[in-house]
Amino acid sequence: MDLMNWVYLSVVLFTIGGATVLVRRNAIVVFMGVELMLNSANLAFVTFARMHGDLDGQTVALFVMLVAAAEVVIGLAIIMAIFRARRSASVDDANLLKY
Amino acid sequence: MNAALLTVLPLAGTGDAVVPGSSTGDAAVFWVLAPIMVLASLGLLFARKAVYAALSMAVVMVSLGGVYVALEAPFLGMVQVFVYTGAVMMLFLFVLMLVGVDSSDSLVETIRGQRLVGALAAGGFLAFVLVALGRTAWPTPVGLSAVNEAGNITGIAERIFSRYVFAFEMTAALLVVAAIGAMVLAHRERSGERATQRTISENRLKRGQRMTPLPPPGVFARHNAVDTPALLPDGTPSELSVSRVLQARGQTLTTGTLVEHVPAIQEDMDPDGRGSRTHGARLDGKPDDTRPTRPEPHEPAGRSDRADEES
Amino acid sequence: MSAVIPMSGLQAVPATGVESLAWLLVVIPLLSAGVLLLAGRAADRWGHWLGLAASAVAFVVGALVFFSVLGHGAEERARSVAGFSWVPAGTFQVDAGLLVDPLSLSFVLLITFVGTLIHVYSVEYMAHDVDRRRFFAYLNLFIAAMLLLVLADSYLLLYVGWEGVGLASYLLIGFWNHRIEYAVAAKKAFVVNRVGDFGLSLAIMAMFVSFGSVQFDDVLSGAAGASETWLTVIGLLLLLAACGKSAQFPLQSWLGDAMAGPTPVSALIHAATMVTAGVYLVIRSGPIFEGAPAATLAVAVVGAITLLYGAIVGAAKDDIKKALAASTMSQIGYMMLAAGLGPIGYVFAIFHLLTHGFFKAGMFLGAGSVMHGMNDETDMRRFGGLRRVMMLTWVTFGLGWLAIIGVPPFSGFFSKDEIIHAAFEGEGLRPWVLGTITVIGAGITAFYMSRLFFMTFHGRKRWHDGTVAPEPHPHESPVLMVAPMVVLAIGSAALGPVLYYTGALESWLEPVFTAPPELEPVVNLDLVTAVTLLVIVAGVALAFLMYLRRDVPVVAPRGNALTRAARADLYQDDVNDIAFVTTGTAFVRGMGEVDDDLVSRGAVGGVTRSIRAAGAGLSRLQTGFVRSYALSMFAGVALVVGALLITQI
């Protein structure tokens, strides 16, 4: 089996995550799509770390996780705040900033 | 570094010429986990209910943890399970529950062309990147056995605390800021005076609201569950005694059905028919219209108590 | 003209010792000007003394440098003072450095010496002006700029000084700018000077194009091999610059109005030093003119025209300062004419420049002294008989008068006679024309200066007839004003003969200039001198008859057509108005309309309209739906990846 299969898998997951962001309206689900994209990137990092025999990839993946954790906290807090103000968790309802 | 590793690799004594990642075990892991992950992520994309989406996401996360272990990154695999599946996904679920399960969005698209163009973009992206990856010449995989010799955690720790120490320290600041930010975002300023017990009771008096606690549900021996209304002293069932959530969902026993049971129950309690007549005066099944109506009947479930206190 | 030989003096050797302090000449007055301008009212009490000290120190430094240079052999008297790399732009390199050679040192000594005297004079003259400190700041600024002008070793640095003196001149002409006509006069001087400055900047650009450098040594030694066309172009542009700064025809109109400035300014800037910068420029650029006979002839012609023009105007003016200003024009016309004669005239031009600097400055200070005693009256028809009340002024002014009209043995006789002689040398018609003009000019000079002198100091006292209020009480000026006049008068009397008989100036300047070719005069020069003296005597006699024997009316008679024209500056301002101001205004107005109609409403308006329309259209894309934005990002990423893929194939 080729190590590259993992990379292909990460591309597929990334695309699905992106499609989730594009298609779903529930802000939390959209957010999960973003998380999926981050995780697929991590998968690629880890795969390449193995391919090149260098732990840098894993280290970067660890940092990605850290940043993603911080991002989740803030993102969910924002979603909560918006929900409290607008009684809605739909990203389409927050559309006042427009022409 | 790569060159150095290439020279070190034979000394590591792996012996066989197996290219890392090409073993049968790896293939097995891939062919088991990859379809699960793709299917679960498709669940994220297509599941109607947000909770299902979150659960399929959790599946992906756990699977990724396994994948990391298989890819010679045991530390990352553990962190993935702990942090992502254990913390992040549970936080997601928690917020989902807080926001309301019933807010799951319909899959009807409201923006014209969004779904079509989105599918085209995603498909184009996938195709282009896959083709580009396929056209790329990759080096022979080196593997991490040499690097992980002192232990994967040790290796990562060496990097984090030497070369990437500044970045690592910055993540500490980032997390602190994120925590404070979450607190700021979730905090709600009190708009008025804090309501004391006295003001609450005074308000109740002014509005003519109910002064006593609500009656507890289900006092009948036959039905002591929360979905059963209590019977008032005159024998009428009290709707106040049942949770409004259950009422809104239509999951309570209606007073009508309950009344049907009343003669049989009385029969059970007093086979002689000598029971207290005073209690049976209104046991004709009609609801007691003289009772005060429930306040704010349209208030969403689970929020009315709070609104009362704040008003 | 003979073959062009680069000035030997320009092979400058690096300065040593005290000569390397030449920077101080520029820096000290500049610093003083900065201090005086920035210190504000706090410096009012001592500001004028600081200004005077700066000028005096500059003179001392100049004298030290002069004696140091004098100690070298004739061939080593050009010293270069290294400065700093000023414009290091690729192939265009300009170093800011100073060139200390006999020519520039002559100017340095004149500027600092006369300048210091005029500082002394101004302490008293401006004593009652609340802005005396500012006045001294400007004077110091002028000294610094003028020294930079003459000491610069490149045309670009010269240009800095050139603009600096223009600025100082503007500031000082408009010193009393609360009088609107003075402010207008300052503006006029500035604008007319700009015309000349354009000539200089274009000349510098032309030098860069043809020589690739603007340093004196590169340009002047390269002039020998340059094409005559380029040299003519550069020469004419330099002449234009000189005309603007030196008030030569056709850019002379500003000098008369420039008399709006305080009289010490007129003496220093508009008589002795700044207006001679054009002469300096022409002489400094000698090799260029030697390679361009047409430009040289143009210089001589301009000088000749201005010589007669100034003399005629000066004979009709009743304002003492304007008459002196016209005289300045005329005398600088002599210098330009001498400079236009080629190397043979350079030394005489400088000679006349130095003597003129003394006697004209002296006479201006005398005029200031008269005005000081006469409640700032400038109309000579209201003077008369001042000899008795202003004895010292009369004596010093009289020495200047004798010097300028060319009475032997005073300074003007030697310097002017030399120019007249030089004008008569050569072949063909040219010496006859130029020579005759110089002789006629000498006669008119004698007439108008005598007229001025007689009207002011002799004849009936026309200042206490009750028509002037308040009644002036003419008196001799204080010692600080008289002392500089005395010094300058001594110079007026003695400088000419001393320099002439010792031959000091010629031997001093000789290494700077090309050896003049031996030319035969067309007539006997002794005869020329005799005729000149006769003409001068005739001019004085005519003035004596018209303005001393006959009474001078207080109100000017209408006079004949020539007098009226001369009073109106020979209608130069009207010509300028019609030729430039009116047409220029009409042109600008037309361009303004074109700009409004085509550019503003058409092009610019069209651009704004189309951009606004495009913005309105594109803003429809701002739907507010974050998913739409995400879609455009994702599609963009897909397109980029696709594009990368396609380009790789």
Side-chain angles (χ1 to χ4, degrees):
Chain A
M1 201 206 72
D2 193 354
L3 206 52
M4 283 308 294
N5 286 354
W6 294 112
V7 180
Y8 293 129
L9 175 64
S10 89
V11 173
V12 171
L13 293 181
F14 184 90
T15 310
I16 293 173
T20 307
V21 173
L22 297 184
V23 173
R24 300 302 294 257
R25 271 181 295 165
N26 188 333
I28 301 168
V29 179
V30 168
F31 205 14
M32 285 194 283
V34 175
E35 291 301 314
L36 184 57
M37 290 162 89
L38 285 170
N39 274 290
S40 71
N42 272 355
L43 176 58
F45 271 124
V46 172
T47 310
F48 283 122
R50 194 178 190 205
M51 183 181 289
H52 294 299
D54 192 336
L55 281 179
D56 274 357
Q58 293 189 12
T59 315
V60 172
L62 187 67
F63 281 123
V64 171
M65 284 184 193
L66 278 166
V67 174
E71 175 222 347
V72 164
V73 170
I74 292 295
L76 287 178
I78 290 173
I79 290 172
M80 281 300 298
I82 291 177
F83 179 80
R84 211 152 52 187
R86 309 178 72 93
R87 290 269 179 271
S88 160
S90 167
V91 286
D92 285 0
D93 286 346
N95 65 348
L96 286 180
L97 190 64
K98 64 181 175 185
Y99 167 67
Chain B
M1 176 157 276
N2 265 346
L5 282 172
L6 283 173
T7 54
V8 167
L9 198 57
L11 298 177
T14 47
D16 53 351
V18 174
V19 177
S22 65
S23 68
T24 344
D26 277 350
V29 169
F30 180 81
W31 291 117
V32 171
L33 286 182
I36 293 176
M37 286 163 70
V38 172
L39 284 176
S41 58
L42 286 176
L44 168 70
L45 180 55
F46 292 116
R48 195 175 135 74
K49 299 210 174 201
V51 176
Y52 294 163
L55 287 176
S56 26
M57 189 67 195
V59 170
V60 178
M61 299 286 182
V62 174
S63 310
L64 264 179
V67 169
Y68 290 166
V69 174
L71 285 174
E72 298 181 80
F75 176 64
L76 271 187
M78 291 303 129
V79 172
Q80 174 78 16
V81 173
F82 290 163
V83 172
Y84 260 114
T85 323
V88 172
M89 284 321 298
M90 291 313 111
L91 192 60
F92 267 110
L93 273 175
F94 185 73
V95 173
L96 265 180
M97 293 301 187
L98 212 58
V99 164
V101 181
D102 56 346
S103 72
S104 79
D105 50 356
S106 70
L107 290 175
V108 178
E109 185 55 61
T110 48
I111 304 176
R112 194 156 51 90
Q114 172 83 8
R115 190 162 287 180
L116 178 68
V117 182
L120 277 178
F125 175 81
L126 185 64
F128 286 144
V129 176
L130 287 182
V131 170
L133 286 175
R135 290 168 48 79
T136 313
W138 300 99
T140 313
V142 176
L144 287 165
S145 47
V147 187
N148 277 348
E149 202 171 14
N152 178 248
I153 298 175
T154 314
I156 289 182
E158 273 172 3
R159 278 164 200 263
I160 285 177
F161 293 112
S162 59
R163 193 191 303 175
Y164 300 108
V165 68
F166 283 114
F168 185 69
E169 293 299 330
M170 292 319 289
T171 57
L174 180 74
L175 287 171
V176 170
V177 171
I180 295 172
M183 280 195 280
V184 169
L185 285 168
H187 180 67
R188 257 208 311 207
E189 285 294 331
R190 186 182 303 280
S191 53
E193 279 284 300
R194 181 186 174 89
T196 59
Q197 209 168 8
R198 180 182 184 82
T199 51
I200 291 170
S201 59
E202 279 173 357
N203 279 338
R204 280 190 185 159
L205 264 177
K206 278 180 199 160
R207 295 187 194 168
Q209 284 171 336
R210 184 184 183 88
M211 302 297 296
T212 56
L214 295 175
V219 293
F220 262 17
R222 203 164 166 180
H223 282 282
N224 58 358
V226 286
D227 62 344
T228 310
L231 285 181
L232 292 173
D234 57 355
T236 55
S238 168
E239 290 179 9
L240 282 175
S241 61
V242 185
S243 163
R244 278 166 296 185
V245 177
L246 297 178
Q247 284 179 353
R249 287 180 182 170
Q251 290 175 337
T252 54
L253 288 175
T254 61
T255 51
T257 50
L258 199 64
V259 165
E260 288 168 13
H261 299 290
V262 169
I265 295 169
Q266 283 180 330
E267 214 41 43
D268 289 347
M269 291 170 69
D270 189 10
D272 307 332
R274 293 186 292 111
S276 166
R277 300 307 299 171
T278 52
H279 288 266
R282 290 292 303 273
L283 283 181
D284 51 6
K286 286 182 183 170
D288 183 0
D289 292 326
T290 59
R291 284 184 290 125
T293 52
R294 284 174 48 224
E296 299 165 292
H298 52 275
E299 184 71 21
R303 301 198 55 82
S304 60
D305 294 347
R306 232 183 139 157
D308 277 353
E309 284 166 17
E310 281 180 2
S311 60
Chain C
M1 284 296 149
S2 62
V4 174
I5 307 155
M7 292 191 191
S8 56
L10 283 164
Q11 265 60 51
V13 288
T16 52
V18 71
E19 294 150 15
S20 52
L21 295 178
W23 277 108
L24 290 178
L25 285 167
V26 180
V27 170
I28 289 175
L30 195 62
L31 272 181
S32 168
V35 168
L36 291 179
L37 285 176
L38 294 176
R41 294 277 170 216
D44 273 354
R45 277 180 52 241
W46 45 266
H48 46 285
W49 297 117
L50 175 66
L52 172 60
S55 180
V57 169
F59 171 66
V60 171
V61 172
L64 287 176
V65 173
F66 168 72
F67 286 118
S68 169
V69 169
L70 204 58
H72 299 296
E75 295 304 314
E76 290 181 346
R77 282 182 183 166
R79 322 292 287 186
S80 67
V81 183
F84 52 91
S85 180
W86 183 24
V87 187
T91 57
F92 182 63
Q93 299 280 344
V94 181
D95 293 337
L98 299 185
L99 174 66
V100 178
D101 73 346
L103 179 60
S104 58
L105 271 180
S106 307
F107 274 87
V108 166
L109 290 179
L110 175 73
I111 294 160
T112 53
F113 183 66
V114 176
T116 305
L117 287 179
I118 285 170
H119 275 75
V120 173
Y121 181 92
S122 305
V123 169
E124 197 62 52
Y125 188 86
M126 301 296 287
H128 302 297
D129 197 301
V130 290
D131 284 328
R132 178 163 64 167
R133 172 188 50 82
R134 185 162 61 91
F135 180 79
F136 274 82
Y138 292 163
L139 275 190
N140 276 341
L141 176 66
F142 168 76
I143 297 275
M146 189 71 200
L147 290 174
L148 183 64
L149 192 162
V150 297
L151 283 169
D153 74 343
S154 70
Y155 280 97
L156 202 59
L157 195 58
L158 179 145
Y159 191 63
V160 174
W162 189 269
E163 293 297 322
V165 294
L167 170 69
S169 164
Y170 167 78
L171 291 171
L172 285 165
I173 293 171
F175 185 71
W176 289 315
N177 51 16
H178 47 86
R179 294 271 300 269
I180 189 78
E181 65 266 29
Y182 289 2
V184 169
K187 188 176 79 178
K188 183 177 178 184
F190 196 76
V191 170
V192 176
N193 264 297
R194 292 308 308 166
V195 179
D197 296 344
F198 265 112
L200 184 53
S201 55
L202 288 176
I204 292 173
M205 292 174 205
M207 282 171 200
F208 177 62
V209 169
S210 47
F211 301 110
S213 168
V214 295
Q215 304 278 354
F216 281 152
D217 47 1
D218 296 339
V219 172
L220 299 182
S221 57
S227 76
E228 188 175 324
T229 317
W230 268 117
L231 289 180
T232 306
V233 168
I234 296 173
L236 289 176
L237 288 170
L238 289 174
L239 174 61
L240 179 64
C243 284
K245 196 59 83 187
S246 291
Q248 297 294 292
F249 183 84
L251 298 177
Q252 82 284 32
S253 63
W254 63 272
L255 188 59
D257 291 343
M259 294 302 126
T263 306
V265 172
S266 310
L268 177 62
I269 300 185
H270 305 120
T273 54
M274 186 190 84
V275 285
T276 60
V279 181
Y280 170 79
L281 184 68
V282 170
I283 292 176
R284 177 60 87 191
S285 311
I288 292 174
F289 284 98
E290 283 160 42
T296 313
L297 183 62
V299 173
V301 168
V302 163
I305 291 176
T306 316
L307 186 167
L308 284 180
Y309 176 97
I312 291 170
V313 170
K317 289 285 184 187
D318 289 332
D319 183 312
I320 185 170
K321 285 183 72 180
K322 292 204 171 173
L324 285 172
S327 160
T328 304
M329 261 181 237
S330 174
Q331 297 302 312
I332 295 171
Y334 269 108
M335 299 171 210
M336 288 297 264
L337 191 149
L341 295 173
I344 192 173
Y346 289 165
V347 174
F348 307 135
I350 298 293
F351 188 16
H352 194 55
L353 195 155
L354 293 177
T355 58
H356 173 259
F358 274 83
F359 59 65
K360 183 55 64 65
M363 282 193 288
F364 260 113
L365 295 189
S369 174
V370 169
M371 287 159 59
H372 194 72
M374 296 288 291
N375 295 345
D376 287 335
E377 177 65 69
T378 57
D379 188 354
M380 292 190 289
R381 291 184 183 276
R382 298 199 174 277
F383 292 164
L386 290 173
R387 177 170 64 95
R388 295 182 193 289
V389 287
M390 306 179 81
M391 201 63 190
L392 273 171
T393 306
W394 176 70
V395 169
T396 55
F397 203 101
L399 284 172
W401 165 60
L402 292 172
I404 192 173
I405 64 177
V407 172
F410 299 102
S411 291
F413 167 74
F414 299 100
S415 55
K416 197 185 287 180
D417 207 42
E418 293 282 8
I419 292 177
I420 294 172
H421 285 181
F424 271 110
E425 287 174 359
E427 289 168 354
L429 190 61
R430 207 178 83 155
W432 284 108
V433 174
L434 293 180
T436 310
I437 288 176
T438 55
V439 172
I440 294 173
I444 305 178
T445 305
F447 169 73
Y448 72 75
M449 285 312 299
S450 305
R451 170 179 178 270
L452 189 153
F453 188 67
F454 294 154
M455 283 174 83
T456 304
F457 291 102
H458 295 270
R460 188 168 60 86
K461 294 174 184 173
R462 295 180 298 273
W463 35 269
H464 61 105
D465 56 357
T467 55
V468 183
E471 179 93 349
H473 297 287
H475 53 275
E476 190 53 88
S477 300
V479 64
L480 276 184
M481 284 173 69
V482 176
M485 287 155 60
V486 171
V487 175
L488 289 172
I490 294 170
S492 310
L495 188 65
V498 168
L499 289 181
Y500 180 76
Y501 287 115
T502 59
L505 188 68
E506 273 181 85
S507 59
W508 165 246
L509 288 175
E510 189 250 331
V512 183
F513 300 132
T514 321
E518 289 296 324
L519 290 176
E520 284 300 311
V522 286
V523 288
N524 187 320
L525 291 180
D526 291 337
L527 184 62
V528 170
T529 306
V531 170
T532 308
L533 285 175
L534 273 179
V535 170
I536 289 170
V537 169
V540 175
L542 186 62
F544 177 78
L545 289 174
M546 286 176 67
Y547 296 100
L548 205 54
R549 292 291 295 276
R550 266 192 280 162
D551 189 31
V552 179
V554 174
V555 177
R558 187 162 178 271
N560 57 26
L562 181 62
T563 311
R564 290 199 302 274
R567 276 186 197 138
D569 292 335
L570 297 179
Y571 304 121
Q572 169 78 17
D573 284 340
D574 303 282
V575 172
N576 282 353
D577 266 356
I578 293 165
F580 302 112
V581 180
T582 315
T583 51
T585 313
F587 175 72
V588 170
R589 190 166 294 140
M591 290 306 284
E593 280 165 18
V594 168
D595 177 67
D596 281 350
D597 291 345
L598 289 182
V599 181
S600 297
R601 280 181 215 123
V604 178
V607 168
T608 35
R609 274 193 298 278
S610 52
I611 287 178
R612 191 178 297 164
L618 286 174
S619 65
R620 304 267 172 211
L621 293 177
Q622 299 290 318
T623 56
F625 294 123
V626 72
R627 290 193 296 139
S628 299
Y629 308 155
L631 176 58
S632 45
M633 277 173 65
F634 204 66
V637 171
L639 286 178
V640 168
V641 176
L644 284 176
L645 209 55
I646 288 169
T647 50
Q648 276 183 356
I649 289 168

